[in-house]
């Protein structure tokens, strides 16, 4: 049990911690710990001091005017330093972060990390090392930045079976899609602006191809469904093929296009997917714009919950890290790890899930084309909810279909047959409907 805050500063224990990786998030964490040091002392009863900063050089410390004596370039020396109680890992990527975290845990130092890729791929290896060495692994900052979603899943809805989790958990793609929606521009223009403003990386692959969201869904899904949702099993599609036409069609039909992460559990069946989708405008997630993130949970007893906030950035992510530092130094256990790196026996990941679909096709504007397409959809058990046709001067027509809920495999099969029709020029788009 956590001790009550102690108010006598003179006898308050000083906790010395290290930050490994002093980039944006490491720097944000340092800002909070130094600027709010007295506040944390007063309210949490602990004096947290950044005593070591590990990086390749002392340049990031110099750039921030931080005393160079805090610099440490040797991870083994850091692991051997008995004064350091805890290490924050804000390096990102799998290596050398995995090796460094392992060294800290083996030295009995708890670790607070923001590293979603590492956790999604190697949590099953790191959690037992933490346990064997009597320390904790804390990772609130790994998903959805400053939004306390890991804590909520771990500590607030333990009594509920989480039925579904829908999230907008990547700010870069949400910024790009919001820009396309608000300004009618195409993907390349929105990406270029996101890069110019620092919302997207120079190499945006991890964000725009859905990897980042899939790492987070693996972590959130595993926490929500209390079983490992392996990263490699998640259906993943990015936003690079979403067109200005798709966004305009969505608007016309009452939807907003978002990159969504979907997790569902029904008994022993789990769905886990990341893809762009038509989100109905009356769904709370449709209103989550710009670089903001949100997670919409449904528990079997609590009902619907929504968590919203900044999903990235030095200070929001630093805030989540500081909350974990306080938690760890208070003696509270780390978050539960994922048992194993694969689905438990008896649990299946459903590939043939059910969803609504938006399909956009360019066809020859001739008699009978629409009925051939409708027949193929019908033969595959896919029922049409709405259809809109727009003819062009060139003798082609664009046809947009919205379907009722149908099986993914049936829709894919139907699209394969539709593509083979002589009168079909191309299938422009297929997006799932939330
Ligand atoms: N690049 C991520 C995003 C933040 O755009 O949301 C870190 O996961």
């Amino acid at each position: 049990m956590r001790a009550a805050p102690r108010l006598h500063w003179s006898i308050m224990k000083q906790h010395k911690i290290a930050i490994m990786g002093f980039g944006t998030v490491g720097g944000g964490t340092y800002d909070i710990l130094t600027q709010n040091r007295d506040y944390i002392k007063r309210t949490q009863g602990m004096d947290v001091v950044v005593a070591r900063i590990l990086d390749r050089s002392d340049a990031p410390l110099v750039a921030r005017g931080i005393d160079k004596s805090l610099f440490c370039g040797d991870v083994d020396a850091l692991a051997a330093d008995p004064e350091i109680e805890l290490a924050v890992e804000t390096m990102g990527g799998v290596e050398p972060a995995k090796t460094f975290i392992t060294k800290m845990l083996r030295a009995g130092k708890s670790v607070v990390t923001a590293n979603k890729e590492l956790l999604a791929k190697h949590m099953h290896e790191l959690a037992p090392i933490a346990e064997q060495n009597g320390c904790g692994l804390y990772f609130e900052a790994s998903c959805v930045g400053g939004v306390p979603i890991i804590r909520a899943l771990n500590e607030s809805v333990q009594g509920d079976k989480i039925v579904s989790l829908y999230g907008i958990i990547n700010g870069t793609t949400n910024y790009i899609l919001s820009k396309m929606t608000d300004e009618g521009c195409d993907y390349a223009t929105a990406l270029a602006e996101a890069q110019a403003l620092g919302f997207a990386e120079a190499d945006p692959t991890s964000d725009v191809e859905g990897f980042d969201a899939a790492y987070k869904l693996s972590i959130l899904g595993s926490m929500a469904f209390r079983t490992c949702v392996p990263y490699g099993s998640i259906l993943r599609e990015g936003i690079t093929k979403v067109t200005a036409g798709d966004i305009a069609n969505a608007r016309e039909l009452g939807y907003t296009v978002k990159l969504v992460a979907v997790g569902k559990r029904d008994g022993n069946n789990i769905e886990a997917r990341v893809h762009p989708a038509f989100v109905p405008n009356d769904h709370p997630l449709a209103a989550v714009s710009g670089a903001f993130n949100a997670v919409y949970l449904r528990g079997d007893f609590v009902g619907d919950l929504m968590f919203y906030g900044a999903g990235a950035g030095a200070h929001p992510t630093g805030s989540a890290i500081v909350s974990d530092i306080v938690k760890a130094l208070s003696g509270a256990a780390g978050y539960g790890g994922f048992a194993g790196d694969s689905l438990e026996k008896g649990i299946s990941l459903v590939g043939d899930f059910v969803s609504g679909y938006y399909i956009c096709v360019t066809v020859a504007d001739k008699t009978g084309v629409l009925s051939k397409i409708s027949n193929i959809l019908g033969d595959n058990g896919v029922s049409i909810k709405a259809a809109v046709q727009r003819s062009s001067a060139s003798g082609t027509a664009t046809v947009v279909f919205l379907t009722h809920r149908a099986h993914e495999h049936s829709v894919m099969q139907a699209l394969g047959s539709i593509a083979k029709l002589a009168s079909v020029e191309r299938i422009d788009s297929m997006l799932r409907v939330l």
Side-chain angles (χ1 to χ4, degrees):
M1 180 163 318
R2 208 187 121 184
R6 291 160 292 172
L7 299 175
H8 301 291
W9 295 14
S10 52
I11 56 161
M12 192 176 287
K13 182 171 181 232
Q14 215 177 57
H15 298 274
K16 293 190 174 166
I17 70 156
I19 297 177
M20 304 191 293
F22 207 50
T24 307
V25 175
T29 304
Y30 181 88
D31 290 344
I32 300 169
L33 286 173
T34 48
Q35 289 173 36
N36 280 1
R37 181 174 170 184
D38 285 346
Y39 179 76
I40 293 167
K41 275 186 188 173
R42 197 169 68 244
T43 59
Q44 304 302 315
M46 60 176 67
D47 185 15
V48 185
V49 177
V50 179
R52 283 278 176 276
I53 296 173
L54 181 88
D55 213 308
R56 277 187 288 260
S57 82
D58 61 11
L61 284 78
V62 174
R64 286 176 158 264
I66 297 169
D67 186 346
K68 283 207 264 184
S69 67
L70 266 57
F71 174 70
C72 172
D74 177 0
V75 70
D76 291 309
L78 188 64
D81 186 338
E83 290 210 315
I84 299 298
E85 277 183 65
L86 173 150
V88 172
E89 183 271 311
T90 43
M91 303 157 67
V94 171
E95 284 296 357
K98 183 174 174 232
T99 302
F100 286 15
I101 289 176
T102 303
K103 283 178 191 280
M104 294 304 142
L105 294 174
R106 290 220 163 107
K109 300 182 198 307
S110 286
V111 171
V112 173
T113 178
N115 196 326
K116 63 224 63 140
E117 180 179 2
L118 178 62
L119 294 176
K121 293 179 178 171
H122 299 284
M123 170 66 109
H124 61 286
E125 294 165 62
L126 295 172
I129 298 173
E131 200 177 329
Q132 284 151 20
N133 289 281
C135 44
L137 188 58
Y138 304 80
F139 49 91
E140 178 63 75
S142 66
C143 294
V144 204
V147 178
I149 183 67
I150 298 285
R151 197 154 302 188
L153 288 169
N154 198 62
E155 294 164 23
S156 304
V157 290
Q158 310 94 314
D160 273 70
K161 287 183 188 154
I162 302 300
V163 179
S164 60
L165 176 162
Y166 295 97
I168 293 175
I169 55 178
N170 181 271
T172 305
T173 47
N174 204 41
Y175 180 87
I176 292 170
L177 292 171
S178 299
K179 180 128 196 98
M180 289 172 75
T181 301
D182 294 345
E183 298 178 12
C185 62
D186 63 13
Y187 168 76
T189 307
L191 171 63
E193 186 174 319
Q195 286 173 317
L197 293 172
F199 285 112
E201 308 271 350
D203 176 0
T205 310
S206 176
D207 292 315
V208 300
E209 294 294 1
F211 290 100
D212 176 83
Y215 299 143
K216 293 170 186 164
L217 179 59
S218 171
I219 297 168
L220 295 175
S222 299
M223 304 286 293
F225 304 133
R226 319 280 174 203
T227 184
C228 176
V229 175
Y231 157 73
S233 310
I234 293 173
L235 182 156
R236 177 188 52 76
E237 289 171 14
I239 63 161
T240 54
K241 296 191 185 106
V242 175
T243 65
D246 295 329
I247 303 262
N249 288 331
R251 186 199 303 274
E252 197 169 304
L253 294 161
Y255 296 84
T256 305
V257 180
K258 299 283 182 195
L259 182 76
V260 294
V262 178
K264 292 188 191 175
R265 180 162 187 172
D266 182 7
N268 283 337
N269 292 330
I270 288 181
E271 271 177 47
R273 45 194 166 97
V274 167
H275 52 68
F278 272 33
V279 177
N281 283 342
D282 60 2
H283 191 287
L285 287 180
V288 177
S289 332
F292 279 95
N293 282 200
V295 177
Y296 190 87
L297 288 181
R298 177 167 296 168
D300 59 349
F301 282 91
V302 71
D304 290 351
L305 296 170
M306 182 147 151
F307 300 82
Y308 170 89
H315 290 151
T317 310
S319 166
I321 288 173
V322 171
S323 79
D324 269 353
I325 293 171
V326 170
K327 180 178 168 73
L329 295 177
S330 308
Y335 305 110
F338 318 154
D341 61 346
S342 54
L343 285 165
E344 274 169 51
K345 206 161 173 233
I347 297 182
S348 318
L349 204 71
V350 182
D352 190 18
F353 51 85
V354 172
S355 173
Y357 292 81
Y358 150 82
I359 298 164
C360 181
V361 203
T362 299
V363 299
D365 198 357
K366 291 194 300 205
T367 315
V369 177
L370 213 52
S371 77
K372 280 185 190 150
I373 295 175
S374 313
N375 285 342
I376 291 176
L377 288 170
D379 290 347
N380 283 282
V382 181
S383 166
I384 297 168
K385 187 175 176 185
V388 182
Q389 178 177 329
R390 279 185 222 100
S391 300
S392 78
S394 63
T396 61
T398 301
V399 190
V400 170
F401 296 97
L402 277 187
T403 77
H404 287 287
R405 283 159 63 79
H407 281 274
E408 170 92 357
H409 289 180
S410 308
V411 173
M412 294 305 154
Q413 197 145 338
L415 288 177
S417 303
I418 290 167
K420 286 187 197 137
L421 290 174
S423 43
V424 170
E425 236 173 61
R426 61 179 178 274
I427 295 177
D428 297 288
S429 308
M430 182 286 293
L431 293 174
R432 298 165 188 94
V433 179
L434 199 69

mmCIF file with all atom_site columns, all heavy atoms in Angstrom, residues 116 169-173 199 207 212 216 293 311-312, ligand 1:
data_model
loop_
_atom_site.group_PDB
_atom_site.id
_atom_site.type_symbol
_atom_site.label_atom_id
_atom_site.label_alt_id
_atom_site.label_comp_id
_atom_site.label_asym_id
_atom_site.label_entity_id
_atom_site.label_seq_id
_atom_site.pdbx_PDB_ins_code
_atom_site.Cartn_x
_atom_site.Cartn_y
_atom_site.Cartn_z
_atom_site.occupancy
_atom_site.B_iso_or_equiv
_atom_site.pdbx_formal_charge
_atom_site.auth_seq_id
_atom_site.auth_comp_id
_atom_site.auth_asym_id
_atom_site.auth_atom_id
_atom_site.pdbx_PDB_model_num
ATOM   1   N N   . LYS A 1 116 ? 6.412  1.869  -27.858 1.00 0.00 ? 116 LYS A N   1
ATOM   2   C CA  . LYS A 1 116 ? 5.334  0.957  -28.279 1.00 0.00 ? 116 LYS A CA  1
ATOM   3   C C   . LYS A 1 116 ? 5.814  -0.173 -29.170 1.00 0.00 ? 116 LYS A C   1
ATOM   4   O O   . LYS A 1 116 ? 5.372  -1.314 -29.054 1.00 0.00 ? 116 LYS A O   1
ATOM   5   C CB  . LYS A 1 116 ? 4.222  1.738  -28.980 1.00 0.00 ? 116 LYS A CB  1
ATOM   6   C CG  . LYS A 1 116 ? 4.660  2.427  -30.256 1.00 0.00 ? 116 LYS A CG  1
ATOM   7   C CD  . LYS A 1 116 ? 4.128  3.819  -30.360 1.00 0.00 ? 116 LYS A CD  1
ATOM   8   C CE  . LYS A 1 116 ? 4.676  4.631  -29.248 1.00 0.00 ? 116 LYS A CE  1
ATOM   9   N NZ  . LYS A 1 116 ? 5.075  5.983  -29.558 1.00 0.00 ? 116 LYS A NZ  1
ATOM   10  N N   . ILE A 1 169 ? -5.729 6.346  -32.837 1.00 0.00 ? 169 ILE A N   1
ATOM   11  C CA  . ILE A 1 169 ? -4.547 6.274  -31.966 1.00 0.00 ? 169 ILE A CA  1
ATOM   12  C C   . ILE A 1 169 ? -3.271 6.654  -32.707 1.00 0.00 ? 169 ILE A C   1
ATOM   13  O O   . ILE A 1 169 ? -2.186 6.312  -32.261 1.00 0.00 ? 169 ILE A O   1
ATOM   14  C CB  . ILE A 1 169 ? -4.441 4.889  -31.287 1.00 0.00 ? 169 ILE A CB  1
ATOM   15  C CG1 . ILE A 1 169 ? -4.437 3.749  -32.299 1.00 0.00 ? 169 ILE A CG1 1
ATOM   16  C CG2 . ILE A 1 169 ? -5.578 4.706  -30.297 1.00 0.00 ? 169 ILE A CG2 1
ATOM   17  C CD1 . ILE A 1 169 ? -4.277 2.353  -31.658 1.00 0.00 ? 169 ILE A CD1 1
ATOM   18  N N   . ASN A 1 170 ? -3.437 7.356  -33.811 1.00 0.00 ? 170 ASN A N   1
ATOM   19  C CA  . ASN A 1 170 ? -2.255 7.901  -34.489 1.00 0.00 ? 170 ASN A CA  1
ATOM   20  C C   . ASN A 1 170 ? -2.560 9.329  -34.907 1.00 0.00 ? 170 ASN A C   1
ATOM   21  O O   . ASN A 1 170 ? -3.430 9.572  -35.750 1.00 0.00 ? 170 ASN A O   1
ATOM   22  C CB  . ASN A 1 170 ? -1.879 7.039  -35.702 1.00 0.00 ? 170 ASN A CB  1
ATOM   23  C CG  . ASN A 1 170 ? -0.646 7.585  -36.395 1.00 0.00 ? 170 ASN A CG  1
ATOM   24  O OD1 . ASN A 1 170 ? -0.741 8.415  -37.288 1.00 0.00 ? 170 ASN A OD1 1
ATOM   25  N ND2 . ASN A 1 170 ? 0.531  7.170  -35.944 1.00 0.00 ? 170 ASN A ND2 1
ATOM   26  N N   . GLY A 1 171 ? -1.835 10.262 -34.309 1.00 0.00 ? 171 GLY A N   1
ATOM   27  C CA  . GLY A 1 171 ? -2.113 11.679 -34.544 1.00 0.00 ? 171 GLY A CA  1
ATOM   28  C C   . GLY A 1 171 ? -1.711 12.148 -35.932 1.00 0.00 ? 171 GLY A C   1
ATOM   29  O O   . GLY A 1 171 ? -2.377 13.013 -36.515 1.00 0.00 ? 171 GLY A O   1
ATOM   30  N N   . THR A 1 172 ? -0.632 11.575 -36.461 1.00 0.00 ? 172 THR A N   1
ATOM   31  C CA  . THR A 1 172 ? -0.161 12.007 -37.782 1.00 0.00 ? 172 THR A CA  1
ATOM   32  C C   . THR A 1 172 ? -1.220 11.747 -38.847 1.00 0.00 ? 172 THR A C   1
ATOM   33  O O   . THR A 1 172 ? -1.559 12.633 -39.641 1.00 0.00 ? 172 THR A O   1
ATOM   34  C CB  . THR A 1 172 ? 1.140  11.248 -38.135 1.00 0.00 ? 172 THR A CB  1
ATOM   35  O OG1 . THR A 1 172 ? 2.082  11.464 -37.090 1.00 0.00 ? 172 THR A OG1 1
ATOM   36  C CG2 . THR A 1 172 ? 1.704  11.703 -39.459 1.00 0.00 ? 172 THR A CG2 1
ATOM   37  N N   . THR A 1 173 ? -1.734 10.526 -38.866 1.00 0.00 ? 173 THR A N   1
ATOM   38  C CA  . THR A 1 173 ? -2.736 10.191 -39.877 1.00 0.00 ? 173 THR A CA  1
ATOM   39  C C   . THR A 1 173 ? -4.032 10.951 -39.622 1.00 0.00 ? 173 THR A C   1
ATOM   40  O O   . THR A 1 173 ? -4.724 11.337 -40.573 1.00 0.00 ? 173 THR A O   1
ATOM   41  C CB  . THR A 1 173 ? -3.014 8.680  -39.901 1.00 0.00 ? 173 THR A CB  1
ATOM   42  O OG1 . THR A 1 173 ? -3.209 8.238  -38.551 1.00 0.00 ? 173 THR A OG1 1
ATOM   43  C CG2 . THR A 1 173 ? -1.852 7.926  -40.516 1.00 0.00 ? 173 THR A CG2 1
ATOM   44  N N   . PHE A 1 199 ? 4.333  17.511 -37.848 1.00 0.00 ? 199 PHE A N   1
ATOM   45  C CA  . PHE A 1 199 ? 3.394  16.472 -37.395 1.00 0.00 ? 199 PHE A CA  1
ATOM   46  C C   . PHE A 1 199 ? 3.762  15.109 -37.968 1.00 0.00 ? 199 PHE A C   1
ATOM   47  O O   . PHE A 1 199 ? 3.423  14.078 -37.416 1.00 0.00 ? 199 PHE A O   1
ATOM   48  C CB  . PHE A 1 199 ? 1.951  16.808 -37.811 1.00 0.00 ? 199 PHE A CB  1
ATOM   49  C CG  . PHE A 1 199 ? 1.332  17.893 -36.999 1.00 0.00 ? 199 PHE A CG  1
ATOM   50  C CD1 . PHE A 1 199 ? 1.037  19.124 -37.553 1.00 0.00 ? 199 PHE A CD1 1
ATOM   51  C CD2 . PHE A 1 199 ? 1.036  17.691 -35.658 1.00 0.00 ? 199 PHE A CD2 1
ATOM   52  C CE1 . PHE A 1 199 ? 0.477  20.132 -36.802 1.00 0.00 ? 199 PHE A CE1 1
ATOM   53  C CE2 . PHE A 1 199 ? 0.470  18.692 -34.894 1.00 0.00 ? 199 PHE A CE2 1
ATOM   54  C CZ  . PHE A 1 199 ? 0.188  19.918 -35.467 1.00 0.00 ? 199 PHE A CZ  1
ATOM   55  N N   . ASP A 1 207 ? 3.802  5.750  -39.508 1.00 0.00 ? 207 ASP A N   1
ATOM   56  C CA  . ASP A 1 207 ? 2.491  6.334  -39.226 1.00 0.00 ? 207 ASP A CA  1
ATOM   57  C C   . ASP A 1 207 ? 1.489  6.053  -40.352 1.00 0.00 ? 207 ASP A C   1
ATOM   58  O O   . ASP A 1 207 ? 0.413  5.517  -40.110 1.00 0.00 ? 207 ASP A O   1
ATOM   59  C CB  . ASP A 1 207 ? 2.623  7.851  -39.021 1.00 0.00 ? 207 ASP A CB  1
ATOM   60  C CG  . ASP A 1 207 ? 3.378  8.187  -37.740 1.00 0.00 ? 207 ASP A CG  1
ATOM   61  O OD1 . ASP A 1 207 ? 3.078  7.569  -36.704 1.00 0.00 ? 207 ASP A OD1 1
ATOM   62  O OD2 . ASP A 1 207 ? 4.263  9.051  -37.790 1.00 0.00 ? 207 ASP A OD2 1
ATOM   63  N N   . ASP A 1 212 ? 2.488  2.144  -36.520 1.00 0.00 ? 212 ASP A N   1
ATOM   64  C CA  . ASP A 1 212 ? 2.431  2.754  -35.187 1.00 0.00 ? 212 ASP A CA  1
ATOM   65  C C   . ASP A 1 212 ? 1.092  2.411  -34.497 1.00 0.00 ? 212 ASP A C   1
ATOM   66  O O   . ASP A 1 212 ? 1.064  2.026  -33.327 1.00 0.00 ? 212 ASP A O   1
ATOM   67  C CB  . ASP A 1 212 ? 2.610  4.278  -35.334 1.00 0.00 ? 212 ASP A CB  1
ATOM   68  C CG  . ASP A 1 212 ? 2.472  5.008  -34.026 1.00 0.00 ? 212 ASP A CG  1
ATOM   69  O OD1 . ASP A 1 212 ? 3.459  5.068  -33.275 1.00 0.00 ? 212 ASP A OD1 1
ATOM   70  O OD2 . ASP A 1 212 ? 1.368  5.520  -33.750 1.00 0.00 ? 212 ASP A OD2 1
ATOM   71  N N   . LYS A 1 216 ? 0.277  0.005  -31.072 1.00 0.00 ? 216 LYS A N   1
ATOM   72  C CA  . LYS A 1 216 ? -0.548 0.451  -29.948 1.00 0.00 ? 216 LYS A CA  1
ATOM   73  C C   . LYS A 1 216 ? -1.764 -0.459 -29.771 1.00 0.00 ? 216 LYS A C   1
ATOM   74  O O   . LYS A 1 216 ? -2.154 -0.763 -28.642 1.00 0.00 ? 216 LYS A O   1
ATOM   75  C CB  . LYS A 1 216 ? -1.002 1.904  -30.170 1.00 0.00 ? 216 LYS A CB  1
ATOM   76  C CG  . LYS A 1 216 ? 0.149  2.904  -30.112 1.00 0.00 ? 216 LYS A CG  1
ATOM   77  C CD  . LYS A 1 216 ? -0.302 4.282  -30.587 1.00 0.00 ? 216 LYS A CD  1
ATOM   78  C CE  . LYS A 1 216 ? 0.830  5.270  -30.697 1.00 0.00 ? 216 LYS A CE  1
ATOM   79  N NZ  . LYS A 1 216 ? 0.502  6.453  -31.494 1.00 0.00 ? 216 LYS A NZ  1
ATOM   80  N N   . ASN A 1 293 ? -6.113 12.291 -30.401 1.00 0.00 ? 293 ASN A N   1
ATOM   81  C CA  . ASN A 1 293 ? -6.378 10.847 -30.335 1.00 0.00 ? 293 ASN A CA  1
ATOM   82  C C   . ASN A 1 293 ? -7.597 10.613 -29.443 1.00 0.00 ? 293 ASN A C   1
ATOM   83  O O   . ASN A 1 293 ? -7.923 11.466 -28.603 1.00 0.00 ? 293 ASN A O   1
ATOM   84  C CB  . ASN A 1 293 ? -5.209 10.102 -29.679 1.00 0.00 ? 293 ASN A CB  1
ATOM   85  C CG  . ASN A 1 293 ? -3.999 9.884  -30.575 1.00 0.00 ? 293 ASN A CG  1
ATOM   86  O OD1 . ASN A 1 293 ? -3.177 9.024  -30.312 1.00 0.00 ? 293 ASN A OD1 1
ATOM   87  N ND2 . ASN A 1 293 ? -3.866 10.653 -31.640 1.00 0.00 ? 293 ASN A ND2 1
ATOM   88  N N   . GLY A 1 311 ? -2.126 12.680 -28.310 1.00 0.00 ? 311 GLY A N   1
ATOM   89  C CA  . GLY A 1 311 ? -1.551 11.337 -28.399 1.00 0.00 ? 311 GLY A CA  1
ATOM   90  C C   . GLY A 1 311 ? -0.051 11.330 -28.573 1.00 0.00 ? 311 GLY A C   1
ATOM   91  O O   . GLY A 1 311 ? 0.566  10.268 -28.658 1.00 0.00 ? 311 GLY A O   1
ATOM   92  N N   . ALA A 1 312 ? 0.551  12.485 -28.638 1.00 0.00 ? 312 ALA A N   1
ATOM   93  C CA  . ALA A 1 312 ? 1.997  12.556 -28.851 1.00 0.00 ? 312 ALA A CA  1
ATOM   94  C C   . ALA A 1 312 ? 2.474  13.905 -28.334 1.00 0.00 ? 312 ALA A C   1
ATOM   95  O O   . ALA A 1 312 ? 1.690  14.712 -27.827 1.00 0.00 ? 312 ALA A O   1
ATOM   96  C CB  . ALA A 1 312 ? 2.322  12.394 -30.333 1.00 0.00 ? 312 ALA A CB  1
HETATM 97  N N1  . LIG B 2 .   ? 3.760  9.182  -34.425 1.00 0.00 ? 1   LIG B N1  1
HETATM 98  C C1  . LIG B 2 .   ? 2.729  8.920  -33.493 1.00 0.00 ? 1   LIG B C1  1
HETATM 99  C C2  . LIG B 2 .   ? 1.469  9.643  -33.908 1.00 0.00 ? 1   LIG B C2  1
HETATM 100 C C3  . LIG B 2 .   ? 3.054  9.346  -32.088 1.00 0.00 ? 1   LIG B C3  1
HETATM 101 O O1  . LIG B 2 .   ? 1.452  10.320 -34.925 1.00 0.00 ? 1   LIG B O1  1
HETATM 102 O O2  . LIG B 2 .   ? 0.470  9.492  -33.221 1.00 0.00 ? 1   LIG B O2  1
HETATM 103 C C4  . LIG B 2 .   ? 3.918  8.355  -31.414 1.00 0.00 ? 1   LIG B C4  1
HETATM 104 O O3  . LIG B 2 .   ? 3.323  7.094  -31.403 1.00 0.00 ? 1   LIG B O3  1
#
